[in-house]
Amino acid sequence: MEWGIHEGAGITKQSREGTVSQPIEAGAVIGGRYQVTDLVMTSADGDEVLQGIDQVLNRPVSVLVGSPANSEQLSMSAREIATGERYAAVQVLDLGITEGRSYLVTNLAESADLLDLVIQSDAPYVEPFYTDTLGTEIFGVSRSKEPVTYEDDAEYYEDLRSQEESRPAVLGKLPEINLGDKFSGLKDRFGRAKSAPAPAAPVVPPATVGSTTEQAPAVSPGVPTAAAPIAAPAAPAAPAPKVTRFTPADSAAEPAVTSAAALAAAQKSRGISVDNAGQRVASSFPAAAQSYTEPAYDDYEEEEPQEGGKKTTRLLVGAILCAVLVAAVVFAYNALGGGPATPVASTSSAQSSESAPGGSSESPNVELTKPKIADISRLVPGNPSLNAETDNTLSKAIDGNPASLYKSYSYTSPQFGGLASNMVFVIELKEPSDISEIQLDGLNGTGGAFEIRVGDSTDLADAKVLSSGSFTGPTVTVPVSGENGEALRGQYVFLNVTELPRRASGANGSRPYGLQIGEFRVS
């Protein structure tokens, strides 16, 4: 007997009785180019795992020769891996069929990974013998192989289907609540206790304090205007605050009220006479106050050090009285149906703007655009076809589920096994957005190297380098900021992987380097 090549593809053993498949020994050649160097193991079904040398490319390979019963499943699994329909920890290099047996040539792989290919992924569950034996001992009879059915199965599953279909309809029937109407009703009820309910006032867009054109329509002709506004504490120069004005639908029914008018109304309600400017007239002061004269101080310079404590007390009392007066003005203004308590500051700010014609206190209001991921792609500048079989799983890195993983092939070295120098993942946003943070979840690796770039086009060279680091840990967070510490604007985010990390768990002993991404987040 001697070993030979059958039709240039298979290994057979010739004898007088005919051609019969036999275990393959070291030294045999499969497919005319793969020389067997070692028989790793043989499964109970007759599947053989071999190690060999590709004589054409001079590289080590693993060979799985399926048994006649498992050859069809082996061929099917190999085609699914090659087309990307199935993920496996092996790389398909060659596939052949001879004498009713299929053989698959891969990179060096574990025996368990190879033998998984001859097992159907959706094969029916076969219960272990010991559970059936235990059931027989307990119940006296063996478990039935037929599924259990009930008379109302059709009605039960129909109810489940109708419940699933009715859920969106129930959500659509929920009433919509208008918060603006609710707050307007509260204002009409508690803000104007003595007047008839007025219709809800429409909200006017925020106006910038300091515009002289807003002050004219703010006061109706029938309401006295303030000749001397109440002095407000000096504040450091800063952009003027935004004031939201609430204008009634009928200005004649509800005129705008200034702070001076509110003060005058509050004083009149207590029986105090005031002038048109809202100031208290002299006749309304007590008689003792009307005849009061300032005493003369002859030696003021000498007595001042002795009365220092009294002056401090007077200043403190005056400050407290001013605070009480301001609080009373604000309370009276709100009680009469006015807007927020900020018009005091708006009056002084408006007159400051009037004193400086041509000046503008408007500050730019730039709205930030929240980034939303539209697509993800991958490119390898030095070897475009490298890892192309896994591109159909790239969407798992942006589907919002950290449990769904994108995994690259595993390699013997962090430099992609010497096949490429880097691998770039390109995240495309729906529109140019303001980016403040980039996060990678579910990495399951240590070491490696990468850099993050942000740009306005798909050109990696034109993108701005933001940060570089390693993949150590389950999550990597990279803060992003522009020149002034603000969010950086761009539409494309680049993850440039220059070295692969070592997988922390589930790695192949001979190929421990590979990339895994659970979720790519841009915020």
Side-chain angles (χ1 to χ4, degrees):
M1 297 182 184
E2 59 180 0
W3 288 101
I5 306 299
H6 179 72
E7 297 181 357
I11 301 296
T12 60
K13 192 172 184 181
Q14 300 173 355
S15 64
R16 296 179 181 179
E17 292 76 15
T19 303
V20 181
S21 299
Q22 297 291 339
I24 302 173
E25 299 177 354
V29 178
I30 301 177
R33 62 183 290 183
Y34 307 106
Q35 184 179 11
V36 179
T37 59
D38 187 20
L39 173 61
V40 179
M41 68 171 297
T42 302
S43 68
D45 294 339
D47 306 301
E48 299 178 59
V49 179
L50 311 172
Q51 281 192 354
I53 296 292
D54 185 348
Q55 296 179 338
V56 176
L57 298 179
N58 192 25
R59 61 177 178 179
V61 295
S62 292
V63 182
L64 173 62
V65 181
S67 64
N70 296 334
S71 291
E72 183 178 356
Q73 178 62 36
L74 175 60
S75 301
M76 184 184 302
S77 300
R79 294 190 184 97
E80 291 176 351
I81 296 173
T83 58
E85 298 179 12
R86 174 174 177 174
Y87 174 77
V90 298
Q91 184 177 3
V92 175
L93 303 179
D94 197 359
L95 177 66
I97 302 176
T98 181
E99 293 293 333
R101 302 182 68 187
S102 300
Y103 66 88
L104 173 64
V105 182
T106 69
N107 56 330
L108 288 178
E110 297 291 337
S111 301
D113 295 336
L114 292 174
L115 292 177
D116 284 344
L117 304 180
V118 298
I119 301 175
Q120 296 183 15
S121 58
D122 55 350
Y125 173 74
V126 179
E127 192 167 10
F129 73 94
Y130 46 81
T131 60
D132 186 66
T133 303
L134 180 61
T136 303
E137 293 177 357
I138 295 176
F139 299 104
V141 293
S142 178
R143 178 177 298 180
S144 175
K145 303 297 183 181
E146 298 296 330
V148 178
T149 59
Y150 300 92
E151 295 180 357
D152 59 344
D153 279 351
E155 181 181 355
Y156 172 76
Y157 290 109
E158 180 65 23
D159 291 343
L160 289 181
R161 185 184 62 80
S162 61
Q163 290 177 10
E164 292 295 333
E165 292 178 353
S166 63
R167 285 181 181 176
V170 173
L171 294 178
K173 294 180 180 179
L174 293 177
E176 296 185 0
I177 299 176
N178 192 332
L179 296 180
D181 295 342
K182 298 297 182 181
F183 286 119
S184 299
L186 292 176
K187 178 180 177 182
D188 294 338
R189 180 175 180 181
F190 298 102
R192 302 180 180 88
K194 297 183 179 180
S195 61
V203 179
V204 178
T208 305
V209 176
S211 177
T212 58
T213 59
E214 296 178 359
Q215 302 301 321
V219 182
S220 299
V223 180
T225 57
I230 299 175
K242 296 287 184 180
V243 178
T244 303
R245 301 181 183 275
F246 298 90
T247 304
D250 188 1
S251 58
E254 185 181 355
V257 181
T258 63
S259 58
L263 178 61
Q267 292 179 345
K268 288 180 178 180
S269 64
R270 297 195 299 268
I272 300 175
S273 301
V274 294
D275 56 11
N276 293 334
Q279 303 295 326
R280 187 171 182 178
V281 298
S283 59
S284 63
F285 287 96
Q290 296 178 14
S291 60
Y292 174 78
T293 57
E294 186 72 18
Y297 295 97
D298 296 335
D299 299 329
Y300 178 77
E301 296 296 335
E302 296 179 358
E303 295 178 358
E304 182 177 3
Q306 300 177 1
E307 297 180 356
K310 296 182 179 179
K311 285 187 63 178
T312 303
T313 303
R314 290 198 299 270
L315 291 176
L316 181 59
V317 173
I320 295 175
L321 292 177
C322 289
V324 173
L325 179 60
V326 172
V329 171
V330 173
F331 178 79
Y333 183 51
N334 290 335
L336 292 175
T342 53
V344 174
S346 73
T347 304
S348 60
S349 301
Q351 294 195 358
S352 299
S353 175
E354 292 177 359
S355 63
S360 176
S361 61
E362 295 182 357
S363 59
N365 186 15
V366 180
E367 295 184 358
L368 299 180
T369 303
K370 185 178 180 180
K372 297 181 179 179
I373 298 178
D375 194 13
I376 181 173
S377 58
R378 184 195 62 85
L379 59 93
V380 181
N383 190 351
S385 62
L386 182 66
N387 248 115
E389 295 81 4
T390 63
D391 285 352
N392 63 325
T393 62
L394 277 172
S395 59
K396 295 182 178 181
I398 59 172
D399 60 356
N401 181 14
S404 61
L405 304 176
Y406 165 79
K407 293 184 179 180
S408 71
Y409 288 147
S410 56
Y411 299 90
T412 58
S413 66
Q415 288 76 26
F416 303 91
L419 301 177
S421 59
N422 65 324
M423 180 183 294
V424 184
F425 295 85
V426 184
I427 303 297
E428 180 181 0
L429 304 179
K430 292 184 177 180
E431 59 181 336
S433 308
D434 300 284
I435 305 172
S436 59
E437 185 179 90
I438 298 172
Q439 182 173 324
L440 300 175
D441 294 337
L443 297 178
N444 187 31
T446 58
F450 70 88
E451 65 177 7
I452 297 291
R453 300 190 183 193
V454 172
D456 298 324
S457 66
T458 56
D459 190 355
L460 179 65
D462 292 341
K464 179 180 180 181
V465 179
L466 300 180
S467 177
S468 60
S470 65
F471 295 95
T472 302
T475 301
V476 172
T477 302
V478 178
V480 178
S481 61
E483 297 179 355
N484 300 326
E486 302 176 350
L488 183 62
R489 195 168 185 83
Q491 190 173 2
Y492 294 89
V493 179
F494 301 88
L495 172 63
N496 185 15
V497 182
T498 54
E499 288 188 10
L500 291 171
R502 177 185 288 270
R503 288 181 176 172
S505 61
N508 190 314
S510 59
R511 302 182 311 279
Y513 297 96
L515 180 62
Q516 170 182 313
I517 300 177
E519 194 66 24
F520 200 122
R521 306 180 190 272
V522 181
S523 59

